[in-house]
Amino acid sequence: MTVAVTQSRASIGIHAPMVTVETHISKGLPGFHIVGLPETAVKESKERVRSAIITSHFEFPSRRITINLAPADLPKQGGRYDLSIALGILAASRQIPPDKLCDYEFAGELALSGELRPIKGILPLAIGTKNAGRSLILPFENAAEAHLIKGIKLFPARHLLDVCSHFLERTILTPHPALPYSAPQISYHDLKEVRGQHHAKRALEIAAAGQHSLLLVGPPGVGKTMLSNCLPGLLPPMSEEEAIELAAIQSISGMSINSTNWAKRPFRAPHHSASCYALIGGGNPAKPGEISLAHHGVLFLDELPEFKRQALEALREPLEAGSISISRANFQVQYPAKFQLIAAMNPCPCGQYGNHNADCVCLPESIKKYQARISGPLMDRIDIQAELQLLPSSLFINHVNETTSSQIVAERVRCAREIQTQRTGKPNALLRNKEIENFCGLSQQDEVFIERYMQQQKISARAYYKILKIARTIADLEPSPLIKGEHLKEAFSYRVLKNYQKI
């Protein structure tokens, strides 16, 4: 009666909890049993492991084999445990030395020929292995992704025989070197490509500087989408910690991670037909949605009123919390969702309401119904709201050169972000009420002004604090240590839409 122990890891959200694979071979009728809450793909590993061991010219024990995946109450999914199970059987039957397995963790799906196939979610697994102080043996195709984690010992292999030869000290696996972190050199859309719209460009700069959410309202063809595409180029480069967190989400989603641009800020632009689950995540097992794939980046919702009401309302909590908890009957998964929302919409179904150069053909009731697709609570959570107008044709015919480039604006944004980091360690959009009281103080004259404004516009307490945070960002762009009256007035201008009102 022999027992062998190997280590692997499960996949729960962006975490990879430890799974101990215990292999017990005893006398009795030949049998192969896997216990420990395995799902179908794990149960099917019995046939893959059996064929891989036999075709690799090892002996498959004709005895009673029991595999326990501990802890027993943790769901086990996928083929990632194949390699651990195969090595456990070989170690328990003394075909490889069992005492050499304790310093390693294993992950990989086995083909019937014994070849190792890549798995999804290798990055969280690699992070967990590094934190545990062990080395990781994994499929060769996963090594390019796992080597993004600095300080981990990786041993990629192509076949079960390669792994066994390593422990039999015949052919030692070659460690895979980890590459140093480097900020990507990526080209973005430039603000020079957008003609005019200086008010909207200023709103975009403020949004980038303070990580504020932004809504662009205007008729078709005025540059709403082009402006939105410029936002990632204005944001500071991601830190290594942020890049690793985003890459972990992409890894469990099955997305390919390119080592040349893996630290690029994401720009997700789902179609307006996307469902609620596509936006926030869901399924069984629960997968990240668009808001999590836009983590540390931009989520762009074009034609905002065309999205399903249920999908839009589901954005309200993640906008405030920066994460999403997906709860089902038998599991709960939490994904990070610190995204910057930028949305675009027309003021009415035909798009010409409020346009002095064209006639709106929509009835008042249809305009009201169209604008009401965006609920008041959701609008209240969008920090900055800016309107765009049709530009004069002379601006295009005469080829007027734009002087405001993304490079110039990005430098101002970088300086403002540094001020915010030194002050509170986070962008202004994430300030809590107590921090707002400490760092967004107003003069007595400005307090009287904002009180009169609140009474006139009937704004909520949330909107009041958002105005103060926007004013704080405007002051940081100067830079100014204090919020002045002109900063406050400019912040007010981004909370009232002339062409978005009750009809």
Side-chain angles (χ1 to χ4, degrees):
M1 185 170 62
T2 55
V3 175
V5 177
T6 58
Q7 305 292 343
S8 187
R9 290 188 177 269
S11 178
I12 305 295
I14 61 170
H15 305 290
M18 173 73 69
V19 172
T20 301
V21 181
E22 301 172 335
T23 304
H24 179 216
I25 300 179
S26 61
K27 295 179 181 179
L29 293 175
F32 194 171
H33 307 279
I34 299 178
V35 297
L37 210 59
E39 56 105 47
T40 304
V42 181
K43 293 178 181 178
E44 291 175 346
S45 67
K46 294 186 291 187
E47 303 305 324
R48 294 193 297 269
V49 168
R50 185 196 307 271
S51 297
I53 289 176
I54 294 173
T55 54
S56 298
H57 306 291
F58 288 100
E59 179 186 353
F60 189 83
S62 297
R63 287 191 273 177
R64 183 178 180 84
I65 302 173
T66 303
I67 307 293
N68 179 38
L69 305 178
D73 59 347
L74 182 69
K76 320 298 188 306
Q77 299 168 339
R80 59 175 53 209
Y81 307 103
D82 288 5
L83 180 59
S84 289
I85 293 173
L87 293 175
I89 293 174
L90 294 175
S93 60
R94 297 299 188 265
Q95 298 182 68
I96 61 174
D99 56 323
K100 296 184 178 181
L101 302 178
C102 59
D103 295 331
Y104 295 86
E105 293 187 13
F106 307 93
E109 180 182 330
L110 285 173
L112 298 183
S113 61
E115 293 182 359
L116 285 176
R117 289 175 173 164
I119 63 172
K120 292 195 303 182
I122 195 66
L123 205 58
L125 192 149
I127 294 173
T129 302
K130 176 195 170 184
N131 294 338
R134 295 190 181 93
S135 300
L136 177 61
I137 295 181
L138 73 170
F140 194 86
E141 289 80 359
N142 285 132
E145 179 180 327
H147 77 200
L148 299 176
I149 307 301
K150 293 195 303 183
I152 184 174
K153 291 183 179 180
L154 296 178
F155 293 91
R158 297 185 183 275
H159 200 281
L160 177 61
L161 279 172
D162 298 336
V163 181
C164 295
S165 295
H166 177 79
F167 290 109
L168 292 171
E169 298 183 351
R170 295 173 182 171
T171 304
I172 303 301
L173 293 173
T174 303
H176 198 288
L179 298 181
Y181 171 81
S182 59
Q185 301 295 326
I186 303 167
S187 60
Y188 296 98
H189 291 270
D190 199 295
L191 282 175
K192 283 186 175 181
E193 301 173 11
V194 184
R195 303 284 184 179
Q197 307 297 359
H198 301 294
H199 177 71
K201 288 180 180 178
R202 173 66 173 171
L204 194 70
E205 179 180 348
I206 297 170
Q211 198 174 313
H212 301 286
S213 53
L214 172 65
L215 172 65
L216 300 175
V217 182
V222 294
K224 301 188 295 293
T225 303
M226 289 185 66
L227 278 169
S228 303
N229 283 310
C230 293
L231 181 57
L234 306 182
L235 301 176
M238 281 197 296
S239 65
E240 183 175 4
E241 182 180 355
E242 291 175 336
I244 290 293
E245 195 173 24
L246 172 64
I249 298 173
Q250 296 173 337
S251 177
I252 62 177
S253 301
M255 300 173 60
S256 60
I257 300 176
N258 191 333
S259 59
T260 60
N261 64 356
W262 68 284
K264 177 183 178 182
R265 286 196 182 271
F267 182 85
R268 305 292 299 185
H271 191 260
H272 62 256
S273 61
S275 66
C276 176
Y277 300 116
L279 282 181
I280 68 171
N284 188 15
K287 295 182 179 179
E290 292 290 341
I291 62 173
S292 296
L293 294 173
H295 186 53
H296 295 312
V298 178
L299 177 67
F300 175 50
L301 302 182
D302 199 6
E303 305 296 342
L304 187 65
E306 302 299 333
F307 280 82
K308 297 180 179 65
R309 181 69 174 261
Q310 182 186 11
L312 292 181
E313 294 305 304
L315 297 176
R316 286 158 54 176
E317 292 85 354
L319 272 172
E320 297 287 330
S323 62
I324 179 70
S325 294
I326 303 173
S327 300
R328 298 294 182 267
N330 58 346
F331 67 87
Q332 182 179 28
V333 178
Q334 187 173 43
Y335 289 113
K338 293 180 181 178
F339 61 94
Q340 186 168 357
L341 175 66
I342 182 168
M345 62 174 288
N346 299 322
C348 68
C350 77
Q352 303 302 332
Y353 176 64
N355 180 16
H356 303 295
N357 300 319
D359 294 328
C360 176
V361 298
C362 302
L363 296 174
E365 279 301 318
S366 65
I367 298 176
K368 184 177 181 179
K369 184 178 179 181
Y370 182 79
Q371 295 182 352
R373 294 180 185 178
I374 315 301
S375 69
L378 180 59
M379 284 289 290
D380 201 42
R381 283 171 167 82
I382 299 178
D383 299 353
I384 300 175
Q385 301 157 14
E387 290 180 297
L388 291 80
Q389 297 294 334
L390 281 175
L391 299 172
S393 57
S394 59
L395 193 63
F396 303 95
I397 297 174
N398 299 331
H399 302 288
V400 178
N401 292 326
E402 292 290 335
T403 58
T404 304
S405 68
S406 289
Q407 185 177 3
I408 296 173
V409 175
E411 178 61 23
R412 294 200 293 261
V413 169
R414 185 190 64 80
C415 295
R417 283 286 184 101
E418 286 183 356
I419 294 173
Q420 297 165 35
T421 302
Q422 293 173 3
R423 182 170 56 229
T424 60
K426 57 181 140 181
N428 288 334
L430 304 181
L431 294 178
R432 298 186 179 274
N433 292 354
K434 188 63 177 178
E435 294 169 323
I436 295 173
E437 294 175 2
N438 293 335
F439 302 108
C440 300
L442 302 176
S443 66
Q444 186 175 2
Q445 182 180 359
D446 290 335
E447 287 179 352
V448 174
F449 174 74
I450 195 171
E451 183 179 359
R452 185 170 64 250
Y453 174 84
M454 290 181 65
Q455 293 174 353
Q456 292 176 352
Q457 299 296 330
K458 299 180 180 179
I459 65 174
S460 66
R462 179 189 288 114
Y464 165 73
Y465 284 117
K466 286 187 179 298
I467 289 172
L468 291 182
K469 289 188 283 187
I470 296 168
R472 180 67 268 173
T473 300
I474 296 171
D476 291 338
L477 283 168
E478 284 196 1
S480 171
L482 300 175
I483 297 177
K484 302 177 183 178
E486 56 265 27
H487 303 149
L488 203 57
K489 291 177 183 177
E490 185 178 1
F492 287 145
S493 69
Y494 297 117
R495 294 295 300 181
V496 178
L497 293 172
K498 297 178 181 178
N499 295 323
Y500 191 97
Q501 55 190 359
K502 294 182 179 180
I503 307 299

